[in-house]
Amino acid sequence: MEAVRLNKYLAACGVCSRRDADKLIEEGVVFVNGEKAQTGRKVSDADVVTVRGKTLHAPQNHVVLAYYKPRDVVCTERDAHAGRIVTKEIGYSRRVTYAGRLDKDSEGLLLLTDDGALIDAMMRARNGHEKEYIVKSGRKWEEAAIANLREGVYLEDLGQTTRPCKIEQIGDKTVKMTLTQGLNRQIRRMCKTQGYEIKSLKRTRVMNIELGNLKPGEYRELTEAERTALYGLCGLEPKQ
């Protein structure tokens, strides 16, 4: 492994997030080759890194999971009062975190991984990765409202205009929306500009990964073909 920042190494070893890794370093409980570590230090496989006396070993492979996040489960790693938290609900054997959140009231496909490089690539807004949603409103959709949403609408509270998106009407009160950005509660905010209240929102696809037959609360590891395609779309080489 080439030299990387210590906080990134701790995250890759499943200790905690990079932000929390910085706190551990500041607390003086992280040592490199027997010496107390300093923030910003870089390490490689040649270094011996310990946290509170436990020697770390970076994983030789990475995992990517497809998870059906149920409603009322929260995407957070820091809110102790959040109730049902994704990483606790899934209970996976190693530390994974999500690439792209779903709000508490939404459900559907969430990708989780222990590969920070993959998360960074998936989260870069400029890459325009597609995410697909089934959106049910409280009243019948009008063609004019759908047309406005397709073109992009101004979200006053965020001070941004949304990118053009794909919308297919699949029922009187139901549409399939495909977005290439991930603003906070974007679909709910977009629909509100047209006078629509969302009754249910389910994400069914992230890039090349489909929700498929997963039921709420279930997860699966991606197939090798899915992993290879996902990494390729992100401009990365899959790590076995």
Side-chain angles (χ1 to χ4, degrees):
M1 182 186 73
E2 63 182 20
V4 298
R5 289 177 65 90
L6 182 56
N7 60 355
K8 183 177 180 179
Y9 183 84
L10 265 60
C13 291
V15 175
C16 57
S17 67
R18 294 190 195 183
R19 183 184 301 177
D20 288 338
D22 286 330
K23 291 183 178 180
L24 290 177
I25 296 168
E26 291 172 2
E27 290 171 7
V29 298
V30 182
F31 286 75
V32 178
N33 302 326
E35 298 181 354
K36 187 179 295 186
Q38 301 297 319
T39 301
R41 163 121 192 210
K42 289 190 174 184
V43 296
S44 70
D45 285 340
D47 296 301
V48 177
V49 181
T50 62
V51 178
R52 297 192 174 97
K54 180 180 178 181
T55 302
L56 304 183
H57 302 281
Q60 298 302 306
N61 62 342
H62 289 289
V63 66
V64 187
L65 307 177
Y67 170 61
Y68 189 141
K69 187 196 86 68
R71 294 184 66 175
D72 297 324
V73 172
V74 182
C75 293
T76 183
E77 296 184 10
R78 307 184 62 80
D79 187 353
H81 306 290
R84 298 176 65 189
I85 297 174
V86 165
T87 50
K88 290 183 179 179
E89 289 284 320
I90 197 170
Y92 195 66
S93 58
R94 66 171 82 170
R95 182 184 179 276
V96 291
T97 192
Y98 41 83
R101 296 181 177 181
L102 277 174
D103 64 58
K104 181 180 179 181
D105 298 326
S106 300
E107 62 183 301
L109 180 62
L110 193 67
L111 297 186
L112 299 102
T113 181
D114 58 355
D115 188 348
L118 179 62
I119 293 174
D120 289 343
M122 290 179 64
M123 296 297 290
R124 290 192 195 109
R126 66 176 181 272
N127 289 340
H129 298 311
E130 287 191 347
K131 294 177 283 291
E132 185 178 275
Y133 303 82
I134 301 299
V135 184
K136 296 183 179 180
S137 70
R139 62 186 179 90
K140 184 177 179 179
W141 283 98
E142 299 176 357
E143 291 185 6
I146 292 176
N148 289 338
L149 294 174
R150 283 192 183 117
E151 293 298 318
V153 292
Y154 181 69
L155 305 180
E156 186 173 358
D157 49 349
L158 297 183
Q160 294 189 55
T161 298
T162 61
R163 293 174 182 169
C165 65
K166 302 175 186 176
I167 304 180
E168 176 187 353
Q169 187 163 0
I170 57 178
D172 285 347
K173 299 179 181 180
T174 307
V175 295
K176 179 166 65 176
M177 299 181 65
T178 305
L179 306 186
T180 58
Q181 65 185 140
L183 303 176
N184 183 31
R185 297 176 69 86
Q186 179 173 342
I187 291 177
R188 297 180 189 276
R189 284 188 159 104
M190 289 173 65
C191 293
K192 187 177 180 179
T193 68
Q194 304 302 303
Y196 285 82
E197 179 184 358
I198 300 308
K199 296 299 183 181
S200 70
L201 192 158
K202 179 166 72 173
R203 185 157 66 196
T204 56
R205 179 172 64 88
V206 176
M207 300 171 67
N208 65 305
I209 309 303
E210 303 273 356
L211 181 63
N213 296 322
L214 286 175
K215 295 179 175 60
E218 291 183 342
Y219 71 88
R220 65 176 179 84
E221 294 186 8
L222 299 193
T223 66
E224 282 304 308
E226 287 175 324
R227 278 171 46 89
T228 299
L230 179 64
Y231 273 81
L233 289 169
C234 291
L236 301 172
E237 289 291 333
K239 298 178 181 179
Q240 306 301 327

